[in-house]
Structures are given as C-alpha cells and as structure tokens.
Amino acid sequence: MIDLINKLEKNRTLTLEEYEYLIVNRNKEYAEILAEKAFSAKQRIYGDTIFIRGLVEISSFCKNDCIYCGIRRSNKKCERYRLTKEQILECCREGYSLGFRTFVLQGGEDLYFSDDFVCEIVSEIKGDYPDCAVTLSLGERSKESYKKLYDAGADRYLLRHETADKEHYEKLHPSEMSFEKRMECLHNLKEIGFQTGCGFMVGSPYQTAKTLAEDLKFVEQFKPHMCGIGPFIPHRETPFASEKAGSVELTCYLLSIIRLISPSILLPATTALGTVDPMGREKGILAGANVVMPNLSPADVKGKYEIYDNKLTGGAEAAKNKAELECRMESIGCRVVTDRGDFVKERM
Ligand code: SAM
C-alpha cells in the first residue's frame, strides 16, 4: 500500500486494478498518510486559502427522473419553485456584499430556463459584477446551448458524471437517460472552454470498489478543472429510500486520491459531507478539498431544494453565516478568501 501511495503521489496515475486495490485495502493509517500528502499538495498550489462559492438553487422543477434524487419528476410530494431573475440577482447582490466572488446557479432540468433566459441572467450578473465568476449547473443541454451560455459570460459548468461505469449508470437512471450523452456533454463543455467539473456520489447503490476505480481513472484521463464528490444520502420519496448513506470516511479517502491525481483541481467539501457529519466539511478540507459552497438561496425556498433527506441549510451552510464558516476554517489552519477562486494551472 505504501508503495502504491508513493507511486500515485509521484506519477499521478495508477492502473484500474491499483486504484481498486487502494480502495479495498484502505485503513485508518493509510487514510492518514494519503490525507497528509493530499493536504500538502493542496497547500503547495493554493496555500492555506479556501475558496467559497455562493450557491443559488434556481429551480426545483426537473424533467429528469434520476432514481436517487429527491427532486426527480416522479416525486409528487416535492414542492416545486423557480426563482425569478430579480430574485437571482438579489441573491448575487447579497452574496457580493458578503464577499462571494463566484455565484453558482444550480437547478433541476427546468425547460423554463431557456437558453435566452439563462443568457440574460448570466450577462446581467457579469455586467453588475465584472470581477465575479458565474458557474452553471443546469444539467444536460445541447452543445449549441452550452456555447450560448459560454458566450453570454458563464465561466464554469458543473455536471457530475455520477459514475464512470455504464452499467452502474443505468442502475441509477431511467432508460431515457444515457451514459454516452452524459459523457458527450462533459466533453462538449470542456471543448467550448468552460472550467468544467465532473463528479460522483460516494456510496450510491450498486457502487463497488471497481466502479470507484473507474471514476478515479475517468478523473485522471478527463482532467476536469473541478470535481464534486459527496456521500449519497437517501431521500424518503425515491426508490432508494431505504438504501444506506455513503460514508464520510470513504469520501475523504477519495478526496485525497483525487487531489494526488490532480494537485491543482478545485475540490469542494460538499454540503452532503456536512450533512452526514457535523465536522464533515473540516474533514474534507483536511483530506485535500479546497472549496466550500455555502447556500445563498432565499430563505423561503431553501428547504424545498431537497435532493436528499435532512439537507443542511443553516449554520455555516448558510452564506449569511460566513463568519462561522471562517472561524471553522481557521480552526483547521485555513483561510477563507474573497476571490473568484479560479483553477490554477500548475507549473511543472
Ligand atoms: N440537474 C443538474 C444536474 O443533473 O447536474 C444539477 C442539480 S443535481 C440535483 C446536482 C447533484 O446532486 C447531482 O449531480 C447528484 O450527484 C447530487 N444528488 C442528487 N441526489 C442525491 C442524493 N440522494 N445524495 C447525494 N447527492 C445527490
């Protein structure tokens, strides 16, 4: 194991079998060694800084029916809402005054958010706050659509691949969704010029060490600028209601491996990590993450974007409680900065 860890640190690549071996044979001691190496790799590139993003959940309407997701269209109990352009701009105004310099507009796949409408919102945000980055996370769209959003000024796009194993993908999604389309979208985003983020849930139903090894290989080969990983958490109104949640321990272990594969990657300690463990975000940062995404959505809709049970909305998760987040990051030797927090191209 130690040889493998050193090899990963040095070469930033392992075979599929080696990744699988690293996952199957993990223990506390190896996790600590990996985390230490990952944390120093992050320090080498980004120092003690932690980037923050203001997350605005613009719509809980979704035309998709992903089996794991609480806002899937079949969940008739989900309270649907969509924010107006004015509400979104108000979130950004509040976020800017709090010190956020990246706004992430995320939502279900809601046809109401047409290309023209999203472009209008993006250009207004960029016009009002030229020193800010806009990240979109609005699911699968055509290449032409992504290009329009990019030309309107969007800087980054997050689209988790969910799993790099086709068979596994098909067990998590209805038949009208396809693994190939997901991958094609990711390649299109990167080709257009977005800082592109992929990612996956940890502990999703049917996931194995082998499918996780494939995820790591995908990250290694696709070379995303960002990678969002967080534990799967069941939602009571989905077919996966009685499945087990993913663990903080495995999520942190994978965060460390990803940091070593790509030292300059933007790696969030996700809300899901903070939801399954009150110290989850701190543990994620200490394992190599360098981004936190507090919620800027208006108070009256926060509880409605419930993609999994008991999703955190208060405390350091709320953008307005940035001071609490700052203290928590300081307690582990890190510093929240007012910065766009762009991907840094590594000097080799
Ligand atoms: N619709 C957009 C998309 O598909 O990329 C963005 C919104 S989607 C709700 C954002 C992410 O939430 C998904 O990529 C998925 O990984 C995560 N997610 C959904 N349900 C989850 C669950 N039950 N547990 C943990 N994460 C979940």
Side-chain angles (χ1 to χ4, degrees), residues 62 64 66 68-71 106-109 137-140 157-162 177 182 199-201 228 230-235 238 272 305 307-309:
C62 192
N64 281 341
C66 306
Y68 45 84
C69 187
I71 64 168
Q106 186 177 84
E109 291 197 20
S137 179
L138 302 173
E140 297 176 4
Y157 204 103
L158 297 173
L159 182 73
R160 289 186 174 184
H161 63 284
E162 312 297 0
M177 290 179 75
R182 197 78 174 176
F200 55 94
M201 291 174 291
F232 158 77
I233 304 173
H235 185 288
T238 65
Y305 193 82
I307 54 181
Y308 46 78
D309 284 339

Side-chain angles (χ1 to χ4, degrees), residues 96-327:
Y96 191 87
S97 67
L98 286 166
F100 288 87
R101 294 296 178 267
T102 287
F103 305 116
V104 181
L105 310 188
Q106 186 177 84
E109 291 197 20
D110 179 358
L111 298 176
Y112 182 84
F113 283 90
S114 63
D115 293 346
D116 286 349
F117 189 38
V118 181
C119 285
E120 191 181 318
I121 297 168
V122 170
S123 5
E124 285 203 32
I125 299 175
K126 295 292 287 194
D128 290 349
Y129 310 105
D131 54 336
C132 290
V134 172
T135 303
L136 298 176
S137 179
L138 302 173
E140 297 176 4
R141 302 172 85 101
S142 66
K143 188 169 186 186
E144 295 66 43
S145 166
Y146 287 148
K147 178 82 172 82
K148 284 186 194 163
L149 304 177
Y150 183 77
D151 291 341
D155 303 272
R156 314 188 186 121
Y157 204 103
L158 297 173
L159 182 73
R160 289 186 174 184
H161 63 284
E162 312 297 0
T163 167
D165 182 282
K166 181 174 153 63
E167 266 176 46
H168 185 209
Y169 187 92
E170 287 167 1
K171 290 181 179 155
L172 299 178
H173 299 93
S175 56
E176 75 257 16
M177 290 179 75
S178 96
F179 176 71
E180 288 76 15
K181 172 135 189 258
R182 197 78 174 176
M183 289 296 170
E184 189 188 332
C185 284
L186 277 165
H187 284 99
N188 286 341
L189 287 163
K190 207 159 176 230
E191 201 179 301
I192 287 167
F194 280 105
Q195 288 180 42
T196 303
C198 64
F200 55 94
M201 291 174 291
V202 178
S204 61
Y206 309 106
Q207 187 174 66
T208 62
K210 180 169 171 286
T211 66
L212 281 172
E214 291 174 81
D215 288 318
L216 295 172
K217 199 65 184 168
F218 175 67
V219 171
E220 184 195 302
Q221 293 175 336
F222 180 63
K223 302 192 190 317
H225 303 89
M226 312 174 272
C227 182
I229 74 165
F232 158 77
I233 304 173
H235 185 288
R236 63 198 174 284
E237 295 297 335
T238 65
F240 289 157
S242 48
E243 297 287 337
K244 248 179 57 216
S247 75
V248 172
E249 172 270 318
L250 180 53
T251 305
C252 289
Y253 193 76
L254 293 165
L255 283 170
S256 300
I257 297 178
I258 294 171
R259 173 65 65 200
L260 292 181
I261 292 173
S262 172
S264 55
I265 200 165
L266 296 165
L267 203 53
T270 55
T271 306
L273 200 52
T275 298
V276 291
D277 181 338
M279 291 296 284
R281 265 175 308 245
E282 285 87 339
K283 291 180 183 170
I285 300 288
L286 290 171
N290 67 327
V291 174
V292 187
M293 298 167 64
N295 202 307
L296 264 181
S297 306
D300 59 324
V301 305
K302 258 183 199 163
K304 297 184 189 163
Y305 193 82
E306 201 193 18
I307 54 181
Y308 46 78
D309 284 339
N310 305 317
K311 180 166 157 271
L312 271 194
T313 54
E317 199 50 46
K320 65 177 168 42
N321 298 335
K322 186 172 155 245
E324 181 185 337
L325 178 67
E326 283 167 350
C327 284

